[in-house]
Amino acid sequence: MRNYIKKSISISLISTCLIAFQACTKLDENPYSEIREDEFLNNRREVLQAALRPFTHMQAWLGLNAGEGYYYHNELSADQLAWPQKGRHGYDAGDHFRQHYHTWTDNETRMRQTWILMWTGVGYVNNALKNIEAVNAEEIGMEQEELSAIIAELRVLRAYHYMKIMDLWGNVPIAIEVAESIDNPETKARAEVFEFIQTELEEYVPQLFPLSEELIGRVSKAAGYATLAELYLNAEKWTGTAMWDECIAACDQVINGDGGGLAGGPNLADDLKQNFSNTNQRSPENLFQFAYSRKGGFSIDFSMLSGYDYMREVLNVGYGGINAFVVVPTAFDAYAENDLRKEEWFLFGPQYRYGTTTPVLGTEEYDGQPFIIVNSIRRESEGDTTSEGSMAEGEENSGARFHKYKSGTLSDENYLENHYIIYRLTEIYFNKAEAIMRKNGGTATQEAVNLINESRRRAFSTEDWPEAQYTTATLTLDELLAERGREFIFEGKRRTDLIRFGKFTTASWWDHTPGNDPNKELYAIPNTQIAINPNLQQNPGY
């Protein structure tokens, strides 16, 4: 692993955003300014630009727009989303099959790229910290309090990177400085990595500024407490020592408003649409988000989650898709028929041209026929209407499709202005409820029930709510995991949840028989990285 980044900083935040995805995959690329670091960071604006550079890179590995990265692996290895072969499309050397069946090896191209992307992100943060920590606030006309808060942002952002790296690979190096030459840091035990992350977060989160409109898209105190809540929630799995009380306390910091909030928040959004609409930038439920913007030249790419180009007609949008991710039948069946999320967050059934009753037509197995998205992944065009199907037997219309984020139509003033939400208040409610239940031997208290019902209420009509709400008897840990899946589908969290609940290697779902191999809870260190850095130690089982 190469642990250094060229010492160059973009002179324009907008240009940084525009080229982030193309430019963040190679450590030795320098497509930005040739300005030397000793000639930069002469004022507040330049400090902010340097500090924000790691954020634009993070979108390349965390967001839902890539065929590799954290999102790809944390969703396609779990029980809700899959990328099946659909006729002549989507086999891709079996990459997605191996995710679904848990048969990956240490020689996976997409995992290798994920490793490079995430560690490059750590390098960007280290480089920004090195430069900004050397700045004298008074000399460049900045308040020391703000400069210290920016440094705290980068420290917390680095800890967030390490938390996600540790989630995927467990035992990894700790590299916190910019190396002057190629370095080969050694593997550290997962417990030591966890301690490093915990120490950094506990020291620097209190130094962050509270969430406000000025900090949209940056690391605020609310984002910091949310990160701590996730760390503590997974502590027992990641270290063997539970930290339920600490998780509850971090959740309370967010819920009580100690971390700040937007639009008078933090508060739960009023309905199922607000958090994901093209005006979601200031939703009171937001805690941490990527600030995408079509008007700024940097919008979310929905192509991995969309269907083919028929999406242009169905939604009246300018983007199509590659028909990649679909919802597996068992995940779609997990929603009750009267669950409003089933209607609001998915495309399913007959598809029509936007605003009409004119059917959209298929182009592959159903060429020239009305296009109907079905809750099955099998060769129905060939007469198979009863089998479970398999990853190799999809068709162009197989599986419900993503419709959680809504870009709006081409004529909408806010078309593709959606921000991507990393943390929202609902997750904090779920985290606190789970910690309470685990402290209570796995049994729900009324407080835990109330927390889950607060968000679940949005998913049912007034008439259906009396039967849909949870009680202390019906909210079991298994049901909490199921409801967590229904609420956070498409949000890149499912593998981590299944591991924490002990289901990732032991549970069955559509076309997936459990392997009961606990080693699969961690991915393999890419063999190419071990060849480069002999101090890396491969994870057990690979």
Side-chain angles (χ1 to χ4, degrees):
M1 182 184 65
R2 300 177 70 184
N3 182 47
Y4 68 98
I5 302 294
K6 290 276 188 173
K7 299 176 183 177
S8 61
I9 305 170
S10 171
I11 60 171
S12 167
L13 178 58
I14 294 299
S15 63
T16 296
C17 292
L18 287 171
I19 61 180
F21 288 117
Q22 294 90 346
C24 289
T25 60
K26 296 182 180 179
L27 291 173
D28 56 355
E29 276 192 2
N30 181 12
Y32 310 109
S33 167
E34 293 299 326
I35 293 177
R36 293 160 49 90
E37 63 179 21
D38 56 1
E39 297 172 352
F40 202 57
L41 303 185
N42 293 314
N43 53 57
R44 178 179 181 272
R45 177 175 177 270
E46 291 177 351
V47 168
L48 284 172
Q49 288 171 340
L52 288 171
R53 178 64 187 92
F55 287 89
T56 64
H57 176 83
M58 191 166 76
Q59 293 161 351
W61 63 260
L62 184 63
L64 49 75
N65 53 295
E68 68 271 324
Y70 182 86
Y71 184 97
Y72 172 93
H73 292 89
N74 225 39
E75 288 288 11
L76 292 195
S77 64
D79 64 347
Q80 292 186 306
L81 304 183
W83 188 337
Q85 182 177 355
K86 306 175 191 73
R88 60 195 177 103
H89 300 286
Y91 178 66
D92 296 339
D95 291 355
H96 325 307
F97 286 38
R98 292 191 296 278
Q99 289 301 310
H100 189 78
Y101 297 133
H102 293 186
T103 56
W104 55 77
T105 71
D106 64 352
N107 187 30
E108 300 288 340
T109 300
R110 296 172 194 268
M111 177 52 72
R112 183 162 60 249
Q113 185 69 358
T114 300
W115 174 278
I116 292 171
L117 284 169
M118 295 178 77
W119 281 107
T120 302
V122 172
Y124 276 124
V125 179
N126 286 341
N127 191 59
L129 276 169
K130 175 181 180 293
N131 293 327
I132 295 173
E133 286 177 338
V135 168
N136 183 301
E138 183 178 359
E139 288 181 359
I140 66 168
M142 281 189 73
E143 295 292 332
Q144 183 60 51
E145 182 184 18
E146 182 181 20
L147 183 62
S148 296
I150 289 171
I151 291 170
E153 280 190 65
L154 289 166
R155 291 272 190 163
V156 172
L157 186 66
R158 184 174 63 189
Y160 181 87
H161 277 69
Y162 266 104
M163 184 174 70
K164 296 303 181 183
I165 288 170
M166 179 182 66
D167 182 17
L168 292 181
W169 292 290
N171 311 296
V172 295
I174 299 174
I176 60 174
E177 296 179 352
V178 178
E180 295 302 323
S181 60
I182 294 176
D183 193 12
N184 289 321
E186 64 182 12
T187 298
K188 301 294 184 182
R190 194 182 212 178
E192 186 175 346
V193 181
F194 183 98
E195 183 180 5
F196 164 72
I197 298 166
Q198 179 186 352
T199 299
E200 289 284 291
L201 291 175
E202 289 178 348
E203 178 175 355
Y204 288 100
V205 168
Q207 299 179 38
L208 295 169
F209 284 159
L211 176 59
S212 64
E213 287 206 13
E214 185 179 355
L215 289 182
I216 288 176
R218 291 170 55 187
V219 178
S220 68
K221 192 172 288 187
Y225 285 131
T227 304
L228 272 169
E230 181 179 356
L231 184 76
Y232 294 144
L233 185 67
N234 289 284
E236 185 174 49
K237 171 55 67 174
W238 289 344
T239 71
T241 302
M243 302 184 74
W244 310 126
D245 286 327
E246 291 86 346
C247 178
I248 292 168
C251 291
D252 283 339
Q253 296 273 28
V254 176
I255 294 169
N256 296 337
D258 296 338
L262 301 176
N267 297 303
L268 294 182
D270 294 331
D271 56 39
L272 298 173
K273 300 178 182 180
Q274 186 176 6
N275 292 320
F276 310 104
S277 73
N278 60 13
T279 57
N280 69 343
Q281 301 89 348
R282 293 170 179 80
S283 170
E285 192 167 319
N286 297 351
L287 301 174
F288 188 26
Q289 63 209 72
F290 283 146
Y292 287 97
S293 171
R294 174 188 58 84
K295 297 172 184 176
F298 195 49
S299 58
I300 295 179
D301 179 358
F302 291 120
S303 63
M304 302 304 297
L305 290 159
S306 298
Y308 290 146
D309 277 355
Y310 64 78
M311 302 307 302
R312 300 174 190 270
E313 298 179 84
V314 173
L315 302 177
N316 189 21
V317 295
Y319 56 86
I322 63 172
N323 210 12
F325 292 20
V326 306
V327 181
V328 305
T330 46
F332 195 61
D333 287 339
Y335 292 85
E337 287 304 313
N338 61 348
D339 189 327
L340 301 177
R341 293 171 294 196
K342 195 169 189 176
E343 176 182 354
E344 186 63 41
W345 290 350
F346 304 91
L347 289 176
F348 182 73
Q351 301 300 299
Y352 303 99
R353 292 181 180 175
Y354 184 81
T356 76
T357 57
T358 303
V360 168
L361 304 180
T363 59
E364 296 286 329
E365 290 86 0
Y366 299 94
D367 187 23
Q369 302 176 51
F371 191 83
I372 303 172
I373 299 175
V374 298
N375 184 34
S376 60
I377 304 174
R378 59 193 176 208
R379 301 298 294 176
E380 296 194 356
S381 67
E382 300 171 2
D384 181 4
T385 60
T386 58
S387 78
E388 181 186 57
S390 73
M391 285 287 289
E393 297 177 279
E395 299 183 322
E396 62 177 319
N397 65 338
S398 295
R401 306 303 165 87
F402 169 90
H403 197 41
K404 196 169 191 176
Y405 282 83
K406 294 177 174 58
S407 66
T409 64
L410 284 165
S411 61
D412 189 328
E413 179 184 358
N414 294 303
Y415 173 63
L416 277 175
E417 289 296 305
N418 313 67
H419 283 194
Y420 178 71
I421 310 306
I422 301 170
Y423 287 127
R424 56 188 177 101
L425 185 61
T426 297
E427 184 173 358
I428 302 303
Y429 280 31
F430 270 77
N431 291 356
K432 183 178 179 181
E434 183 180 334
I436 290 171
M437 291 176 67
R438 292 191 185 277
K439 272 193 66 179
N440 197 40
T443 301
T445 66
Q446 191 58 50
E447 182 182 9
V449 168
N450 292 343
L451 286 164
I452 303 304
N453 278 340
E454 278 296 306
S455 65
R456 181 173 167 85
R457 184 187 301 271
R458 299 176 295 198
F460 294 89
S461 67
T462 302
E463 293 74 23
D464 290 338
W465 178 242
E467 292 297 321
Q469 64 183 313
Y470 289 122
T471 66
T472 54
T474 59
L475 186 61
T476 62
L477 278 176
D478 282 347
E479 181 57 30
L480 180 65
L481 176 62
E483 178 64 8
R484 192 174 181 107
R486 289 185 288 263
E487 179 63 26
F488 296 105
I489 192 168
F490 302 121
E491 296 188 44
K493 304 178 186 294
R494 190 59 174 171
R495 168 187 160 275
T496 308
D497 291 341
L498 290 177
I499 291 173
R500 190 173 64 257
F501 279 80
K503 303 291 187 182
F504 185 67
T505 61
T506 63
S508 299
W509 50 85
W510 174 82
D511 195 32
H512 176 91
T513 301
N516 295 297
D517 180 2
N519 291 324
K520 293 298 183 180
E521 291 184 349
L522 293 178
Y523 279 102
I525 307 294
N527 59 12
T528 52
Q529 296 302 318
I530 293 177
I532 294 170
N533 177 5
N535 291 329
L536 292 174
Q537 297 177 17
Q538 185 58 273
N539 284 323
Y542 297 102

